[in-house]
């Protein structure tokens, strides 16, 4: 199993290009199931989660072709197996995103329940409830969701809580339903907007994406299109937090600053200098780091996917930072590992109280999930001595060559098997 070795204490400097967003690519790959014509996607990051989704779609009968690196053509001329098996779903919960498109296109689907997940229970009841309201018969048996409908109909669906993939799944299903679907309390995340943009380019009639009320007027069929995946706002935030932590001067290119305002605000409050110019963000930090308080929230609040990385930054800030996680019930597993690096953190329920220390010291630590891994990388970059991060397959699920990108910015980081 690969590990990362990091020799901390070097500032980062230079330029790095942000990859396409994982959480936009995953639903958009599934959107290919909605049409018999080819969907051509560019700015697709080479990530393990994207590869898993490709595998899932391929075994359903979708033809996939990588024309140039980062450009992918998906052609679902015919769907042979509207099935997402446990073996693939268990490694990537986002496989549930195939459910809506499969039912809409084939009138039936069998998708494994995601099962246990490291960061919390993460049920899919909202996806199920929404499809039922659209006239889909759902049976839960043998760990699978079996869905069947003679006619998918529009409906008004009010989500009990904000769910990103729930919103995406139902929005995709509704594109081919009879009549109009209204999604209330919908997720406003930029990835939902990117998916809507792609669906509209495919001929869907969608208004309100990016607000809490999305209206979809069903059409008979969708056609192929080309679409560029939006930049990854969480990768962007991760690099910004890393530079804020180590100090230095880095320019991120190919990004979209207005998708991460809450993160930029907090980094500025913490002492980073950020200059936004077009699709670039320059980040510097020369002065001291200040503690800031964080409370995660659905977009446009502070993203849960940046909570762990900001915590790494706060371990060396002046003062005490209070970080509250409100989206997932078990997303503090990085705390134990940060403590191994000499961080002073106390957890009470879903709140971490982080008292800044003068220095972190390198140690062996274990990555427990994707964003926890990114947090440990940042901590390793500012710890004295060597930090060894085990189980980095989590990191490879969602960051494209993060070790190479950091090394190019001057970090002493290497991967060993
Ligand atoms: N929830 C339910 N029932 C549902 C759906 C969600 O109770 O039917 C709860 C969840 O348990 C959770 C909350 O609602 O407590 C929000 O979950 P959501 O459905 O929004 O999460 P998700 O769609 O499964 C996506 C991202 C996550 C990101 C969250 C929150 C993708 C593929 N995944 O997950 O990304 O943390 O939204 O923004 O888009 C990551 O990239 O590291 C990651 C975990």
């Amino acid at each position: 199993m690969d590990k990362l070795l990091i020799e901390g204490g070097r500032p980062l400097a230079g330029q790095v290009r942000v990859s396409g967003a994982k959480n936009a690519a995953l639903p958009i790959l599934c959107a290919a199931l909605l049409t018999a014509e080819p969907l051509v996607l560019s700015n697709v990051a080479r990530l393990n989660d994207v590869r898993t989704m490709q595998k899932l779609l391929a075994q359903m009968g979708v033809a996939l072709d990588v024309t140039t690196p980062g450009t992918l053509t998906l052609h679902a001329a015919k769907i042979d197996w509207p099935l997402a098996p446990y073996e693939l779903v268990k490694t990537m919960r986002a496989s549930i995103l195939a459910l809506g498109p499969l039912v809409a296109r084939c009138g039936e689907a069998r998708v494994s329940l995601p099962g246990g997940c490291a960061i919390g229970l993460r049920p899919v009841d909202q996806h199920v409830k929404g499809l039922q309201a659209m006239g889909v018969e759902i049976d839960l048996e043998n760990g699978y969701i079996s869905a069947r409908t003679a006619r998918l109909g529009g409906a008004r669906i009010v989500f009990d809580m904000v769910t990103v993939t729930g919103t995406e799944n139902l929005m995709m299903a509704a594109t081919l339903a009879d009549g109009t679907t209204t999604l209330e309390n919908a997720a406003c995340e930029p990835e939902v907007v990117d998916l809507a943009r792609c669906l509209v380019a495919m001929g869907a009639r969608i208004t309100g994406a990016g607000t809490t009320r999305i209206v979809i007027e069903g059409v008979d069929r969708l056609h192929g299109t080309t679409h560029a995946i939006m930049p990854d706002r969480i990768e962007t935030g991760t690099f910004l937090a890393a530079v804020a932590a180590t100090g230095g001067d880095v320019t991120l290119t190919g990004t979209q600053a207005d998708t991460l305002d809450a993160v930029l605000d907090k980094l500025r409050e913490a002492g980073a200098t950020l200059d936004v110019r077009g699709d670039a963000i320059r980040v510097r930090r020369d002065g001291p780091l200040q503690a800031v308080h964080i409370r995660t929230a659905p977009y446009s609040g502070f993203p849960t996917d940046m909570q762990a990385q900001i915590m790494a930054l706060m371990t060396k800030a002046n003062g005490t930072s209070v970080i509250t996680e409100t989206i997932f019930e078990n997303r503090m597993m990085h705390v134990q590992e940060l403590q191994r690096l000499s961080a002073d953190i106390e957890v009470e329920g879903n709140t971490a109280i982080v008292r800044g220390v003068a220095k972190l010291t390198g140690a062996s630590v274990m990555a427990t999930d994707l964003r926890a891994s990114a947090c440990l990388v940042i901590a390793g970059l500012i710890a004295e001595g060597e930090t060894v991060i085990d189980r980095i397959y989590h990191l490879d699920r969602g960051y494209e060559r993060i070790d190479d990108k950091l090394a190019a910015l001057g970090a002493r980081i290497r991967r060993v098997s």
Side-chain angles (χ1 to χ4, degrees), residues 164-238:
V164 177
T165 50
T167 301
E168 293 166 343
N169 226 343
L170 298 184
M171 183 165 75
M172 287 192 277
T175 58
L176 292 178
D178 276 348
T180 301
T181 299
T182 306
L183 304 178
E184 304 277 6
N185 196 23
C188 303
E189 268 66 5
E191 292 77 12
V192 173
V193 178
D194 201 31
L195 170 64
R197 227 179 272 135
C198 178
L199 292 170
V200 167
M202 292 166 73
R205 297 213 184 113
I206 302 174
T207 54
T211 74
T212 55
R213 186 166 195 267
I214 304 178
V215 180
I216 307 113
E217 241 184 86
V219 295
D220 289 340
R221 54 184 293 282
L222 296 181
H223 52 74
T225 192
T226 59
H227 179 79
I229 305 287
M230 64 174 281
D232 197 313
R233 64 191 167 103
I234 305 300
E235 187 197 12
T236 303
T238 301

Side-chain angles (χ1 to χ4, degrees), residues 26 29-30 49-57 92 94-95:
L26 296 175
L29 284 165
C30 288
D49 272 9
V50 169
R51 278 186 274 271
T52 303
M53 188 60 89
Q54 287 176 228
K55 231 188 267 174
L56 185 69
L57 295 173
M92 190 186 61
S95 314

Side-chain angles (χ1 to χ4, degrees), residues 22-23 122-126 161 163-165 305 327 371:
K22 166 179 86 76
N23 289 347
R122 304 179 77 187
V124 291
D125 57 303
Q126 300 300 303
M161 81 285 294
T163 159
V164 177
T165 50
D305 291 345
I327 308 292
R371 306 306 170 185

Side-chain angles (χ1 to χ4, degrees), residues 180-356:
T180 301
T181 299
T182 306
L183 304 178
E184 304 277 6
N185 196 23
C188 303
E189 268 66 5
E191 292 77 12
V192 173
V193 178
D194 201 31
L195 170 64
R197 227 179 272 135
C198 178
L199 292 170
V200 167
M202 292 166 73
R205 297 213 184 113
I206 302 174
T207 54
T211 74
T212 55
R213 186 166 195 267
I214 304 178
V215 180
I216 307 113
E217 241 184 86
V219 295
D220 289 340
R221 54 184 293 282
L222 296 181
H223 52 74
T225 192
T226 59
H227 179 79
I229 305 287
M230 64 174 281
D232 197 313
R233 64 191 167 103
I234 305 300
E235 187 197 12
T236 303
T238 301
F239 274 95
L240 294 177
V243 180
T246 61
D249 186 346
V250 168
T251 299
L252 302 180
T253 61
T255 186
Q256 202 182 326
D258 64 359
T259 58
L260 72 160
D261 285 330
V263 175
L264 301 186
D265 284 354
K266 285 295 172 184
L267 290 173
R268 285 193 176 107
E269 206 182 316
T273 305
L274 303 173
D275 300 310
V276 177
R277 191 164 297 173
D279 73 352
I281 306 177
R282 181 178 177 197
V283 51
R284 285 165 291 164
R285 185 179 63 78
D286 307 313
L289 260 181
Q290 299 300 335
V292 294
H293 300 324
I294 302 282
R295 192 179 173 82
T296 63
Y299 193 79
S300 53
F302 191 92
T304 171
D305 291 345
M306 276 300 299
Q307 178 257 107
Q309 300 90 313
I310 206 89
M311 194 182 296
L313 177 67
M314 289 298 102
T315 58
K316 278 189 71 178
N318 290 329
T320 298
S321 163
V322 178
I323 301 180
T324 305
E325 171 60 50
T326 75
I327 308 292
F328 293 112
E329 69 269 29
N330 189 24
R331 213 176 196 183
M332 290 277 174
M333 284 171 298
H334 40 284
V335 169
Q336 275 187 18
E337 305 302 308
L338 288 173
Q339 285 165 339
R340 291 180 52 74
L341 299 171
S342 315
D344 181 352
I345 309 175
E346 214 178 300
V347 176
E348 284 174 17
N350 60 356
T351 297
I353 297 151
V354 188
R355 294 182 194 88

